[in-house]
Amino acid sequence: MSRRAVVIGAGLAGMLAAAALSAVADEVVVLDRDDLPEGPEHRKGLPQGRHAHLLMAGGLASMEDLVPGVSMRKHLLAAGAHEIPLGSGMVALTPEGWLRRWRHPGPSMLTCTRALLDWAVRGAVLDSTGVVIRKARVLELTGSRQRVTGVRVSTAAGEEDLAADFVVDASGRGSRIVTWLAALGVDDVREKTVDAGLVNATRLYRTPEGAGRFPLTMVQADPYQGRPGRSGMVLPIEGDRWMVSLAGTRGGGEPPSDPDAFLRYTLDLPDPIVGRLISGAEPLTDVHVSRSTSNHRRYLEKVRSWPDRLVVLGDALATFNPAYGQGMSVAALGARELDRELRRSALGEPGLARRVQRRVARPVESAWTMAVSQDVWYPGTRGGSPGVADRLVTAYTRRMIRTATGSYTAASAVWDVMSMTTGPTRLLRPSTVLATLSGPPLPAAVGAPLTDDERAVLRRLDRTGG
Ligand SMILES: Cc1cc2nc3c(=O)[nH]c(=O)nc-3n(C[C@H](O)[C@H](O)[C@H](O)COP(=O)(O)OP(=O)(O)OC[C@H]3O[C@@H](n4cnc5c(N)ncnc54)[C@H](O)[C@@H]3O)c2cc1C
């Protein structure tokens, strides 16, 4: 008998889940309510797509495993994405000082627009599998609290039921999964929100001539001063453009949409490097502002009786403050967990969906801890405040970041966790603990660690008189 899998949402989590399902189902149908563009263009259903989307190494590695016969890294680089080695290609001011740059590149991340990333992943999955996409809005799940049997959809032709042997909800942060589950009789979903009230403001610029090789530059927010967080970042994206993304928390840290105020905000950061870089650059867009940035978690893995044949992935399961750049990687790691379980068990096997949901909770937990343990320190954060455990973790993490400013051992532990190539226990390895306790062997860099050539580029671009 032919087995059909249905995926709700053609975003990153949905397309990667579809790739995993294509290895075991006869038919994989992805449903999306949005019109999906033919090229790398922004779309309505992904409002966050206008903002910086860093793809960490752990997320990319999962994608490499999931899309059959395609190297997503090569595919994205060929489409114009940039590869940024965290050790040598990034200039970052942390709350504990400037990170040194090292000869050894360390893990890399990819930077490009979210539109390019989604288009490239969607295209690669459609070209290498039999997955099909249909335009439809999913209204609810069908089945019972024991087993999901499909979805009810609304299309241009009206409403209909679509039967399925397996359903994945990857419909993003607006997912109605809790309501859908309740309609089936599953009503014990615990949820938690920790919201620092982060606002993102992003503007694209033409990369100034001669600045194409300037390192990715970021001034990070400092959660520990009892003041709202404020941060800024310049990252290279496809088409010889810079994406300049500012982010700040509730109560005075919020970046503005007015272009002049946007520049002033960058110059008022703890170091004005972002503003100096863009002060003479040619803007290509208006400033786009968005506010849906809370950490929100649905503890589906803890539900008493989970229905068979249903898995929830990506933002539909958990969202994180985007300042930490984890959401897409968590989505990809989740799809890889689905893939691993599908390779071990038959599609309709009782208990399979529950096992996947529990495995998917692991990367979610890592990302959640990283984001929330910092967000709780901002004044005005709703839904959480620092507890005893947070104080201990924070004391250790701050000391490690301070050490990372001048220690390769500590820096590479931080990059590995940030990149989601390993879980946070990496920070407790004996070599890392020892390095952290010993402190940085090299003094912290005074000012941004730029080469002479990069300094000359910065001086040439600077119209601030600074
Ligand atoms: C400002 C901002 C910046 C971010 N920066 C980063 C970053 O630097 N790095 C990073 O890794 N992550 C980042 N993220 C997080 C990232 O955007 C998400 O984690 C990621 O989009 C999750 O993918 P998804 O497929 O789960 O959901 P989405 O990408 O939101 O896709 C959901 C899809 O479901 C469709 N859909 C919704 N409801 C229905 C329905 N009822 N029926 C049919 N289709 C439906 C939508 O049209 C959409 O196509 C950022 C988020 C924000 C808000």
Side-chain angles (χ1 to χ4, degrees):
M1 213 174 62
S2 168
R3 289 157 312 164
R4 179 195 285 152
V6 162
V7 178
I8 312 168
L12 211 66
M15 291 316 297
L16 294 172
L21 286 160
S22 70
V24 295
D26 303 295
E27 187 188 355
V28 181
V29 185
V30 180
L31 305 170
D32 204 292
R33 60 184 180 188
D34 213 7
D35 287 314
L36 303 174
E38 294 286 321
E41 288 139 36
H42 180 71
R43 67 183 169 98
K44 203 169 72 240
L46 271 190
Q48 74 269 38
R50 297 214 184 264
H51 300 286
H53 271 76
L54 310 173
L55 178 60
M56 300 298 170
L60 180 61
S62 301
M63 289 185 190
E64 295 279 6
D65 288 352
L66 282 163
V67 187
V70 181
S71 162
M72 281 312 302
R73 175 179 166 273
K74 286 191 187 149
H75 187 54
L76 285 163
L77 290 176
H82 291 247
E83 189 164 45
I84 312 288
L86 300 186
S88 56
M90 179 174 83
V91 171
L93 179 61
T94 74
E96 310 299 330
W98 290 98
L99 289 178
R100 264 176 193 280
R101 281 161 80 193
W102 306 89
R103 214 163 303 162
H104 196 283
S108 296
M109 62 184 171
L110 294 189
T111 60
C112 59
T113 57
R114 175 64 195 268
L116 181 79
L117 192 64
D118 268 33
W119 169 77
V121 170
R122 195 164 65 239
V125 173
L126 292 180
D127 288 349
S128 61
T129 66
V131 171
V132 294
I133 300 181
R134 270 181 62 188
K135 183 166 181 187
R137 175 191 296 273
V138 173
L139 302 173
E140 60 187 1
L141 302 172
T142 56
S144 64
R145 60 178 303 168
Q146 282 79 33
R147 203 171 99 178
V148 166
T149 55
V151 291
R152 180 151 191 82
V153 298
S154 163
T155 66
E159 290 187 13
E160 61 170 293
D161 284 350
L162 186 62
D165 301 284
F166 204 87
V167 174
V168 172
D169 178 23
S171 61
R173 64 171 54 225
S175 168
R176 305 196 60 235
I177 190 67
V178 175
T179 312
W180 293 343
L181 283 166
L184 297 182
V186 180
D187 56 6
D188 60 336
V189 177
R190 197 158 64 78
E191 296 183 81
K192 186 164 170 62
T193 303
V194 177
D195 182 7
L198 189 92
V199 173
N200 275 88
T202 299
R203 192 173 202 196
L204 301 187
Y205 291 79
R206 193 179 305 288
T207 306
E209 227 176 293
R213 297 177 67 81
F214 202 86
L216 183 148
T217 301
M218 62 167 79
V219 177
Q220 295 177 354
D222 186 347
Y224 310 118
Q225 302 305 320
R227 288 196 294 268
R230 296 159 67 90
S231 67
M233 169 163 72
V234 181
L235 55 134
I237 57 166
E238 75 275 10
D240 295 322
R241 291 173 298 168
W242 273 350
M243 182 178 270
V244 180
S245 232
L246 313 182
T249 62
R250 179 180 291 121
E254 302 91 335
S257 57
D258 170 73
D260 294 334
F262 184 88
L263 177 62
R264 273 200 305 279
Y265 186 100
T266 61
L267 292 168
D268 288 345
L269 291 172
D271 189 284
I273 186 166
V274 170
R276 292 179 65 202
L277 278 170
I278 62 169
S279 54
E282 179 195 349
L284 299 173
T285 62
D286 291 336
V287 178
H288 291 285
V289 173
S290 84
R291 291 163 201 279
S292 305
T293 56
S294 61
N295 304 285
H296 181 74
R297 187 159 176 194
R298 297 166 172 145
Y299 291 87
L300 302 183
E301 71 282 4
K302 295 199 176 0
V303 163
R304 249 188 334 273
S305 165
W306 184 253
D308 277 325
R309 305 190 179 196
L310 171 69
V311 160
V312 181
L313 294 178
D315 278 15
L317 178 61
T319 60
F320 314 95
N321 176 338
Y324 309 105
Q326 303 161 309
M328 296 190 302
S329 292
V330 172
L333 285 156
R336 188 166 65 177
E337 293 298 348
L338 170 67
D339 183 61
R340 286 180 174 164
E341 280 300 320
L342 287 174
R343 284 172 195 276
R344 283 189 205 126
S345 328
L347 191 60
E349 191 181 291
L352 163 70
R354 167 142 231 161
R355 280 201 301 284
V356 175
Q357 212 60 62
R358 284 188 173 148
R359 293 186 68 96
V360 169
R362 294 180 200 165
V364 168
E365 177 66 27
S366 302
W368 179 264
T369 306
M370 203 191 316
V372 168
S373 65
Q374 297 183 64
D375 278 4
V376 287
W377 291 96
Y378 289 115
T381 291
R382 294 179 187 152
S385 53
V388 179
D390 293 304
R391 286 175 203 281
L392 283 172
V393 170
T394 300
Y396 179 71
T397 317
R398 290 190 69 181
R399 185 158 181 167
M400 185 159 54
I401 302 282
R402 199 173 317 131
T403 306
T405 59
S407 151
Y408 188 81
T409 308
S412 54
V414 173
W415 298 326
D416 285 351
V417 175
M418 211 178 110
S419 302
M420 305 206 75
T421 51
T422 58
T425 50
R426 165 82 171 85
L427 304 181
L428 299 174
R429 271 193 207 161
S431 58
T432 317
V433 174
L434 202 65
T436 301
L437 296 179
S438 316
L442 294 169
V446 180
L450 298 172
T451 63
D452 289 346
D453 284 352
E454 290 161 357
R455 240 173 252 293
V457 170
L458 178 60
R459 268 197 307 273
R460 186 168 57 73
L461 299 180
D462 190 353
R463 301 280 190 282
T464 65

